[in-house]
Amino acid sequence: MTKPEILLIEPMMPEIEKQLDAAYTVHRFTSLAQLKDIAGRIRGIATGGATGVPQAVMDSLPALEIISINGIGTDAVNLKEARQRNIHVTTTPGVLTDDVADMAIGLIVSLLRGLPAGDRYVRDGEWGHKAAPPLGRKVTGKKLGIVGMGQVGRAIAHRARSFAMPVSYTDLRDLELKDYAFVSDLKTLARSSEILVIAASGGAGSRHLVNREVLDALGPDGFLINVARGSVVDEQALAQALDAGTLGGAGLDVFEHEPEVAETLRHSSRVVLQPHRASATVETRLAMGNLVVKNLAAHFADESLLTAVI
Ligand code: 8YV
């Protein structure tokens, strides 16, 4: 039997790609031109959450049956078109929740305690020769606001409790959570929070939700953490607020135009930056990749999909 042909848009772990190579003829995406002769035979796509499927690629694959996303974000895939064309879409929920929440906490501690500056101070041999880095800010007990109380938001809230942080959140509706206060208005949440963490999905509905007004409400002693999508924040307004000191600081794992990061952000002493690494651990990337493999296998065996969005 001939193997189904799939397009791999974003590389995965060697262990995962080995499984894909065993089951499929895998075309590793390089350019649209590469698709010219094979487009009609591509039945599946494996890709990353932020990478998704460029519209031009989707348009050029008439035989596409399934898009298996190695992540939880669907904002880089045209779901409307997928529905119209009966293309299945799967994600990897659950398995990355802990890692993303850990990264949020890591960014909070790193930012407030100034870990990167302290590390550089020791590394560069400045200890004992130059003035010590400025004092940090206490993490324990800070008022935490969470934007988006899905699985990741809740995992962050759960961790925050061991830092004695009072937790409030905003979402599309009151989720009636026993331990966490719902605040319907984001600006009000920002005003009453000392740390605001973004854990909401990306896409048109949440674009620039965190704008200048929200940043002003968070204020000069407030800290913004983003482990969700860069698009949720107006990055220009963020850079200006950091530059002007109207926002205390930011811990960012995601950006509006990855892998481009605004120069103001890269040079700011008020930020801790990560290259979209929240789910990037061996354990989690294996679990995610295995879900991608299993969803594709289920589809081509005519079995029900494990974690289908469509
Ligand atoms: C991954 C993500 O880094 O889950 C998502 O949507 O963006 C991240 O977990 C990505 O999917 C792997 O490329």
Side-chain angles (χ1 to χ4, degrees), residues 17-45:
E17 290 202 16
K18 217 165 114 184
Q19 294 185 60
L20 292 175
D21 282 324
Y24 311 102
T25 299
V26 180
H27 301 277
R28 287 159 173 86
F29 182 65
T30 52
S31 67
L32 274 179
Q34 164 208 14
L35 301 179
K36 222 173 107 238
D37 298 330
I38 55 171
R41 304 198 304 268
I42 303 287
R43 297 171 61 193
I45 286 179

PDB file of all heavy atoms in Angstrom, residues 17-45:
ATOM      1  N   GLU A  17       9.487  12.891  14.178  1.00  0.00           N
ATOM      2  CA  GLU A  17       9.622  12.888  12.713  1.00  0.00           C
ATOM      3  C   GLU A  17       9.894  11.474  12.194  1.00  0.00           C
ATOM      4  O   GLU A  17       9.459  11.104  11.107  1.00  0.00           O
ATOM      5  CB  GLU A  17      10.729  13.858  12.282  1.00  0.00           C
ATOM      6  CG  GLU A  17      10.345  15.309  12.505  1.00  0.00           C
ATOM      7  CD  GLU A  17      11.130  16.305  11.653  1.00  0.00           C
ATOM      8  OE1 GLU A  17      11.755  15.877  10.669  1.00  0.00           O
ATOM      9  OE2 GLU A  17      11.121  17.507  11.984  1.00  0.00           O
ATOM     10  N   LYS A  18      10.591  10.673  13.019  1.00  0.00           N
ATOM     11  CA  LYS A  18      10.861   9.273  12.628  1.00  0.00           C
ATOM     12  C   LYS A  18       9.536   8.512  12.463  1.00  0.00           C
ATOM     13  O   LYS A  18       9.353   7.752  11.508  1.00  0.00           O
ATOM     14  CB  LYS A  18      11.729   8.608  13.708  1.00  0.00           C
ATOM     15  CG  LYS A  18      12.751   7.639  13.141  1.00  0.00           C
ATOM     16  CD  LYS A  18      13.784   7.304  14.175  1.00  0.00           C
ATOM     17  CE  LYS A  18      13.653   5.821  14.534  1.00  0.00           C
ATOM     18  NZ  LYS A  18      14.568   5.419  15.604  1.00  0.00           N
ATOM     19  N   GLN A  19       8.633   8.742  13.400  1.00  0.00           N
ATOM     20  CA  GLN A  19       7.323   8.075  13.319  1.00  0.00           C
ATOM     21  C   GLN A  19       6.547   8.556  12.097  1.00  0.00           C
ATOM     22  O   GLN A  19       5.869   7.773  11.428  1.00  0.00           O
ATOM     23  CB  GLN A  19       6.494   8.375  14.568  1.00  0.00           C
ATOM     24  CG  GLN A  19       7.052   7.793  15.853  1.00  0.00           C
ATOM     25  CD  GLN A  19       6.087   8.060  17.011  1.00  0.00           C
ATOM     26  OE1 GLN A  19       4.933   7.632  16.978  1.00  0.00           O
ATOM     27  NE2 GLN A  19       6.549   8.769  18.014  1.00  0.00           N
ATOM     28  N   LEU A  20       6.642   9.849  11.818  1.00  0.00           N
ATOM     29  CA  LEU A  20       5.939  10.379  10.646  1.00  0.00           C
ATOM     30  C   LEU A  20       6.531   9.780   9.363  1.00  0.00           C
ATOM     31  O   LEU A  20       5.804   9.351   8.459  1.00  0.00           O
ATOM     32  CB  LEU A  20       6.046  11.913  10.600  1.00  0.00           C
ATOM     33  CG  LEU A  20       5.306  12.683  11.705  1.00  0.00           C
ATOM     34  CD1 LEU A  20       5.590  14.177  11.602  1.00  0.00           C
ATOM     35  CD2 LEU A  20       3.800  12.430  11.650  1.00  0.00           C
ATOM     36  N   ASP A  21       7.873   9.709   9.311  1.00  0.00           N
ATOM     37  CA  ASP A  21       8.533   9.152   8.122  1.00  0.00           C
ATOM     38  C   ASP A  21       8.156   7.690   7.904  1.00  0.00           C
ATOM     39  O   ASP A  21       8.076   7.226   6.770  1.00  0.00           O
ATOM     40  CB  ASP A  21      10.061   9.283   8.253  1.00  0.00           C
ATOM     41  CG  ASP A  21      10.529  10.702   7.960  1.00  0.00           C
ATOM     42  OD1 ASP A  21       9.951  11.355   7.069  1.00  0.00           O
ATOM     43  OD2 ASP A  21      11.464  11.174   8.645  1.00  0.00           O
ATOM     44  N   ALA A  22       7.943   6.971   9.002  1.00  0.00           N
ATOM     45  CA  ALA A  22       7.599   5.550   8.878  1.00  0.00           C
ATOM     46  C   ALA A  22       6.192   5.362   8.290  1.00  0.00           C
ATOM     47  O   ALA A  22       5.939   4.410   7.550  1.00  0.00           O
ATOM     48  CB  ALA A  22       7.683   4.881  10.251  1.00  0.00           C
ATOM     49  N   ALA A  23       5.298   6.280   8.622  1.00  0.00           N
ATOM     50  CA  ALA A  23       3.902   6.094   8.211  1.00  0.00           C
ATOM     51  C   ALA A  23       3.530   6.840   6.929  1.00  0.00           C
ATOM     52  O   ALA A  23       2.566   6.465   6.253  1.00  0.00           O
ATOM     53  CB  ALA A  23       2.978   6.562   9.343  1.00  0.00           C
ATOM     54  N   TYR A  24       4.277   7.899   6.611  1.00  0.00           N
ATOM     55  CA  TYR A  24       3.890   8.757   5.483  1.00  0.00           C
ATOM     56  C   TYR A  24       5.083   9.097   4.597  1.00  0.00           C
ATOM     57  O   TYR A  24       6.224   8.974   5.016  1.00  0.00           O
ATOM     58  CB  TYR A  24       3.297  10.084   6.000  1.00  0.00           C
ATOM     59  CG  TYR A  24       2.248   9.868   7.047  1.00  0.00           C
ATOM     60  CD1 TYR A  24       2.552  10.059   8.403  1.00  0.00           C
ATOM     61  CD2 TYR A  24       0.974   9.438   6.701  1.00  0.00           C
ATOM     62  CE1 TYR A  24       1.600   9.823   9.380  1.00  0.00           C
ATOM     63  CE2 TYR A  24       0.014   9.201   7.681  1.00  0.00           C
ATOM     64  CZ  TYR A  24       0.338   9.390   9.016  1.00  0.00           C
ATOM     65  OH  TYR A  24      -0.597   9.143   9.977  1.00  0.00           O
ATOM     66  N   THR A  25       4.771   9.556   3.411  1.00  0.00           N
ATOM     67  CA  THR A  25       5.794  10.243   2.626  1.00  0.00           C
ATOM     68  C   THR A  25       5.722  11.685   3.079  1.00  0.00           C
ATOM     69  O   THR A  25       4.720  12.370   2.870  1.00  0.00           O
ATOM     70  CB  THR A  25       5.489  10.144   1.112  1.00  0.00           C
ATOM     71  OG1 THR A  25       5.499   8.756   0.768  1.00  0.00           O
ATOM     72  CG2 THR A  25       6.508  10.910   0.305  1.00  0.00           C
ATOM     73  N   VAL A  26       6.778  12.114   3.775  1.00  0.00           N
ATOM     74  CA  VAL A  26       6.754  13.440   4.391  1.00  0.00           C
ATOM     75  C   VAL A  26       7.511  14.447   3.533  1.00  0.00           C
ATOM     76  O   VAL A  26       8.689  14.257   3.236  1.00  0.00           O
ATOM     77  CB  VAL A  26       7.398  13.396   5.802  1.00  0.00           C
ATOM     78  CG1 VAL A  26       7.364  14.788   6.446  1.00  0.00           C
ATOM     79  CG2 VAL A  26       6.689  12.379   6.690  1.00  0.00           C
ATOM     80  N   HIS A  27       6.809  15.488   3.129  1.00  0.00           N
ATOM     81  CA  HIS A  27       7.464  16.581   2.408  1.00  0.00           C
ATOM     82  C   HIS A  27       7.726  17.691   3.407  1.00  0.00           C
ATOM     83  O   HIS A  27       6.790  18.193   4.035  1.00  0.00           O
ATOM     84  CB  HIS A  27       6.571  17.106   1.284  1.00  0.00           C
ATOM     85  CG  HIS A  27       6.210  16.039   0.288  1.00  0.00           C
ATOM     86  ND1 HIS A  27       7.045  15.678  -0.738  1.00  0.00           N
ATOM     87  CD2 HIS A  27       5.109  15.245   0.188  1.00  0.00           C
ATOM     88  CE1 HIS A  27       6.474  14.707  -1.444  1.00  0.00           C
ATOM     89  NE2 HIS A  27       5.297  14.425  -0.900  1.00  0.00           N
ATOM     90  N   ARG A  28       8.979  18.056   3.573  1.00  0.00           N
ATOM     91  CA  ARG A  28       9.310  19.144   4.504  1.00  0.00           C
ATOM     92  C   ARG A  28       9.210  20.475   3.775  1.00  0.00           C
ATOM     93  O   ARG A  28       9.924  20.701   2.798  1.00  0.00           O
ATOM     94  CB  ARG A  28      10.689  18.895   5.108  1.00  0.00           C
ATOM     95  CG  ARG A  28      10.614  17.757   6.125  1.00  0.00           C
ATOM     96  CD  ARG A  28      11.917  17.094   6.427  1.00  0.00           C
ATOM     97  NE  ARG A  28      11.748  16.136   7.529  1.00  0.00           N
ATOM     98  CZ  ARG A  28      11.353  14.861   7.390  1.00  0.00           C
ATOM     99  NH1 ARG A  28      11.068  14.369   6.185  1.00  0.00           N
ATOM    100  NH2 ARG A  28      11.221  14.080   8.449  1.00  0.00           N
ATOM    101  N   PHE A  29       8.328  21.322   4.282  1.00  0.00           N
ATOM    102  CA  PHE A  29       7.996  22.559   3.561  1.00  0.00           C
ATOM    103  C   PHE A  29       9.176  23.525   3.473  1.00  0.00           C
ATOM    104  O   PHE A  29       9.832  23.828   4.459  1.00  0.00           O
ATOM    105  CB  PHE A  29       6.837  23.262   4.276  1.00  0.00           C
ATOM    106  CG  PHE A  29       6.394  24.523   3.591  1.00  0.00           C
ATOM    107  CD1 PHE A  29       5.823  24.496   2.327  1.00  0.00           C
ATOM    108  CD2 PHE A  29       6.555  25.762   4.212  1.00  0.00           C
ATOM    109  CE1 PHE A  29       5.413  25.662   1.692  1.00  0.00           C
ATOM    110  CE2 PHE A  29       6.146  26.932   3.581  1.00  0.00           C
ATOM    111  CZ  PHE A  29       5.581  26.884   2.323  1.00  0.00           C
ATOM    112  N   THR A  30       9.420  23.968   2.243  1.00  0.00           N
ATOM    113  CA  THR A  30      10.456  24.996   2.070  1.00  0.00           C
ATOM    114  C   THR A  30       9.866  26.255   1.421  1.00  0.00           C
ATOM    115  O   THR A  30      10.104  27.355   1.873  1.00  0.00           O
ATOM    116  CB  THR A  30      11.615  24.487   1.187  1.00  0.00           C
ATOM    117  OG1 THR A  30      11.067  23.969  -0.036  1.00  0.00           O
ATOM    118  CG2 THR A  30      12.425  23.427   1.899  1.00  0.00           C
ATOM    119  N   SER A  31       9.077  26.058   0.373  1.00  0.00           N
ATOM    120  CA  SER A  31       8.523  27.222  -0.327  1.00  0.00           C
ATOM    121  C   SER A  31       7.276  26.801  -1.092  1.00  0.00           C
ATOM    122  O   SER A  31       7.048  25.608  -1.324  1.00  0.00           O
ATOM    123  CB  SER A  31       9.543  27.760  -1.321  1.00  0.00           C
ATOM    124  OG  SER A  31       9.721  26.792  -2.349  1.00  0.00           O
ATOM    125  N   LEU A  32       6.516  27.779  -1.517  1.00  0.00           N
ATOM    126  CA  LEU A  32       5.310  27.486  -2.318  1.00  0.00           C
ATOM    127  C   LEU A  32       5.681  26.765  -3.612  1.00  0.00           C
ATOM    128  O   LEU A  32       4.970  25.861  -4.065  1.00  0.00           O
ATOM    129  CB  LEU A  32       4.583  28.784  -2.658  1.00  0.00           C
ATOM    130  CG  LEU A  32       3.581  29.313  -1.634  1.00  0.00           C
ATOM    131  CD1 LEU A  32       2.985  30.615  -2.137  1.00  0.00           C
ATOM    132  CD2 LEU A  32       2.482  28.293  -1.340  1.00  0.00           C
ATOM    133  N   ALA A  33       6.820  27.160  -4.193  1.00  0.00           N
ATOM    134  CA  ALA A  33       7.257  26.574  -5.464  1.00  0.00           C
ATOM    135  C   ALA A  33       7.430  25.057  -5.338  1.00  0.00           C
ATOM    136  O   ALA A  33       7.116  24.299  -6.266  1.00  0.00           O
ATOM    137  CB  ALA A  33       8.561  27.228  -5.902  1.00  0.00           C
ATOM    138  N   GLN A  34       7.885  24.621  -4.170  1.00  0.00           N
ATOM    139  CA  GLN A  34       8.103  23.187  -3.912  1.00  0.00           C
ATOM    140  C   GLN A  34       6.803  22.395  -4.063  1.00  0.00           C
ATOM    141  O   GLN A  34       6.815  21.214  -4.430  1.00  0.00           O
ATOM    142  CB  GLN A  34       8.657  23.044  -2.486  1.00  0.00           C
ATOM    143  CG  GLN A  34       8.615  21.663  -1.882  1.00  0.00           C
ATOM    144  CD  GLN A  34       8.508  21.709  -0.349  1.00  0.00           C
ATOM    145  OE1 GLN A  34       8.206  22.750   0.232  1.00  0.00           O
ATOM    146  NE2 GLN A  34       8.772  20.592   0.291  1.00  0.00           N
ATOM    147  N   LEU A  35       5.668  23.068  -3.788  1.00  0.00           N
ATOM    148  CA  LEU A  35       4.381  22.367  -3.779  1.00  0.00           C
ATOM    149  C   LEU A  35       3.817  22.124  -5.185  1.00  0.00           C
ATOM    150  O   LEU A  35       2.902  21.311  -5.354  1.00  0.00           O
ATOM    151  CB  LEU A  35       3.350  23.163  -2.962  1.00  0.00           C
ATOM    152  CG  LEU A  35       3.700  23.435  -1.493  1.00  0.00           C
ATOM    153  CD1 LEU A  35       2.600  24.239  -0.823  1.00  0.00           C
ATOM    154  CD2 LEU A  35       3.932  22.117  -0.742  1.00  0.00           C
ATOM    155  N   LYS A  36       4.375  22.828  -6.175  1.00  0.00           N
ATOM    156  CA  LYS A  36       3.800  22.821  -7.522  1.00  0.00           C
ATOM    157  C   LYS A  36       3.478  21.403  -8.037  1.00  0.00           C
ATOM    158  O   LYS A  36       2.357  21.134  -8.452  1.00  0.00           O
ATOM    159  CB  LYS A  36       4.758  23.536  -8.490  1.00  0.00           C
ATOM    160  CG  LYS A  36       4.012  24.449  -9.466  1.00  0.00           C
ATOM    161  CD  LYS A  36       4.975  25.258 -10.286  1.00  0.00           C
ATOM    162  CE  LYS A  36       4.987  24.719 -11.696  1.00  0.00           C
ATOM    163  NZ  LYS A  36       6.147  24.266 -12.285  1.00  0.00           N
ATOM    164  N   ASP A  37       4.425  20.521  -7.923  1.00  0.00           N
ATOM    165  CA  ASP A  37       4.237  19.182  -8.494  1.00  0.00           C
ATOM    166  C   ASP A  37       3.589  18.186  -7.541  1.00  0.00           C
ATOM    167  O   ASP A  37       3.150  17.118  -7.955  1.00  0.00           O
ATOM    168  CB  ASP A  37       5.593  18.611  -8.943  1.00  0.00           C
ATOM    169  CG  ASP A  37       6.190  19.490 -10.029  1.00  0.00           C
ATOM    170  OD1 ASP A  37       5.406  20.094 -10.786  1.00  0.00           O
ATOM    171  OD2 ASP A  37       7.436  19.587 -10.081  1.00  0.00           O
ATOM    172  N   ILE A  38       3.557  18.494  -6.242  1.00  0.00           N
ATOM    173  CA  ILE A  38       3.060  17.510  -5.272  1.00  0.00           C
ATOM    174  C   ILE A  38       1.734  17.901  -4.628  1.00  0.00           C
ATOM    175  O   ILE A  38       1.106  17.094  -3.935  1.00  0.00           O
ATOM    176  CB  ILE A  38       4.096  17.267  -4.136  1.00  0.00           C
ATOM    177  CG1 ILE A  38       4.478  18.613  -3.466  1.00  0.00           C
ATOM    178  CG2 ILE A  38       5.333  16.560  -4.658  1.00  0.00           C
ATOM    179  CD1 ILE A  38       5.315  18.455  -2.202  1.00  0.00           C
ATOM    180  N   ALA A  39       1.307  19.151  -4.874  1.00  0.00           N
ATOM    181  CA  ALA A  39       0.148  19.701  -4.155  1.00  0.00           C
ATOM    182  C   ALA A  39      -1.074  18.779  -4.192  1.00  0.00           C
ATOM    183  O   ALA A  39      -1.736  18.576  -3.173  1.00  0.00           O
ATOM    184  CB  ALA A  39      -0.210  21.076  -4.712  1.00  0.00           C
ATOM    185  N   GLY A  40      -1.356  18.211  -5.325  1.00  0.00           N
ATOM    186  CA  GLY A  40      -2.551  17.389  -5.494  1.00  0.00           C
ATOM    187  C   GLY A  40      -2.519  16.101  -4.678  1.00  0.00           C
ATOM    188  O   GLY A  40      -3.550  15.430  -4.523  1.00  0.00           O
ATOM    189  N   ARG A  41      -1.354  15.740  -4.184  1.00  0.00           N
ATOM    190  CA  ARG A  41      -1.233  14.470  -3.435  1.00  0.00           C
ATOM    191  C   ARG A  41      -1.154  14.673  -1.919  1.00  0.00           C
ATOM    192  O   ARG A  41      -1.215  13.711  -1.166  1.00  0.00           O
ATOM    193  CB  ARG A  41       0.023  13.722  -3.893  1.00  0.00           C
ATOM    194  CG  ARG A  41       0.085  13.446  -5.396  1.00  0.00           C
ATOM    195  CD  ARG A  41       1.100  12.360  -5.710  1.00  0.00           C
ATOM    196  NE  ARG A  41       2.424  12.643  -5.207  1.00  0.00           N
ATOM    197  CZ  ARG A  41       3.382  13.278  -5.909  1.00  0.00           C
ATOM    198  NH1 ARG A  41       3.132  13.711  -7.141  1.00  0.00           N
ATOM    199  NH2 ARG A  41       4.573  13.474  -5.380  1.00  0.00           N
ATOM    200  N   ILE A  42      -1.012  15.918  -1.486  1.00  0.00           N
ATOM    201  CA  ILE A  42      -0.866  16.182  -0.033  1.00  0.00           C
ATOM    202  C   ILE A  42      -2.225  16.061   0.649  1.00  0.00           C
ATOM    203  O   ILE A  42      -3.150  16.816   0.378  1.00  0.00           O
ATOM    204  CB  ILE A  42      -0.303  17.596   0.223  1.00  0.00           C
ATOM    205  CG1 ILE A  42       1.029  17.812  -0.475  1.00  0.00           C
ATOM    206  CG2 ILE A  42      -0.196  17.872   1.733  1.00  0.00           C
ATOM    207  CD1 ILE A  42       2.188  17.083   0.139  1.00  0.00           C
ATOM    208  N   ARG A  43      -2.324  15.101   1.579  1.00  0.00           N
ATOM    209  CA  ARG A  43      -3.608  14.882   2.273  1.00  0.00           C
ATOM    210  C   ARG A  43      -3.589  15.363   3.723  1.00  0.00           C
ATOM    211  O   ARG A  43      -4.643  15.495   4.347  1.00  0.00           O
ATOM    212  CB  ARG A  43      -3.951  13.396   2.218  1.00  0.00           C
ATOM    213  CG  ARG A  43      -4.161  12.897   0.784  1.00  0.00           C
ATOM    214  CD  ARG A  43      -4.289  11.385   0.754  1.00  0.00           C
ATOM    215  NE  ARG A  43      -5.423  10.922   1.531  1.00  0.00           N
ATOM    216  CZ  ARG A  43      -5.617   9.650   1.885  1.00  0.00           C
ATOM    217  NH1 ARG A  43      -4.737   8.723   1.515  1.00  0.00           N
ATOM    218  NH2 ARG A  43      -6.668   9.302   2.604  1.00  0.00           N
ATOM    219  N   GLY A  44      -2.391  15.578   4.265  1.00  0.00           N
ATOM    220  CA  GLY A  44      -2.314  16.005   5.656  1.00  0.00           C
ATOM    221  C   GLY A  44      -1.221  17.035   5.866  1.00  0.00           C
ATOM    222  O   GLY A  44      -0.278  17.126   5.067  1.00  0.00           O
ATOM    223  N   ILE A  45      -1.362  17.814   6.940  1.00  0.00           N
ATOM    224  CA  ILE A  45      -0.324  18.776   7.325  1.00  0.00           C
ATOM    225  C   ILE A  45      -0.029  18.586   8.807  1.00  0.00           C
ATOM    226  O   ILE A  45      -0.941  18.403   9.613  1.00  0.00           O
ATOM    227  CB  ILE A  45      -0.792  20.241   7.098  1.00  0.00           C
ATOM    228  CG1 ILE A  45      -0.785  20.599   5.606  1.00  0.00           C
ATOM    229  CG2 ILE A  45       0.081  21.229   7.868  1.00  0.00           C
ATOM    230  CD1 ILE A  45      -1.264  22.018   5.307  1.00  0.00           C
TER     231      ILE A  45
END
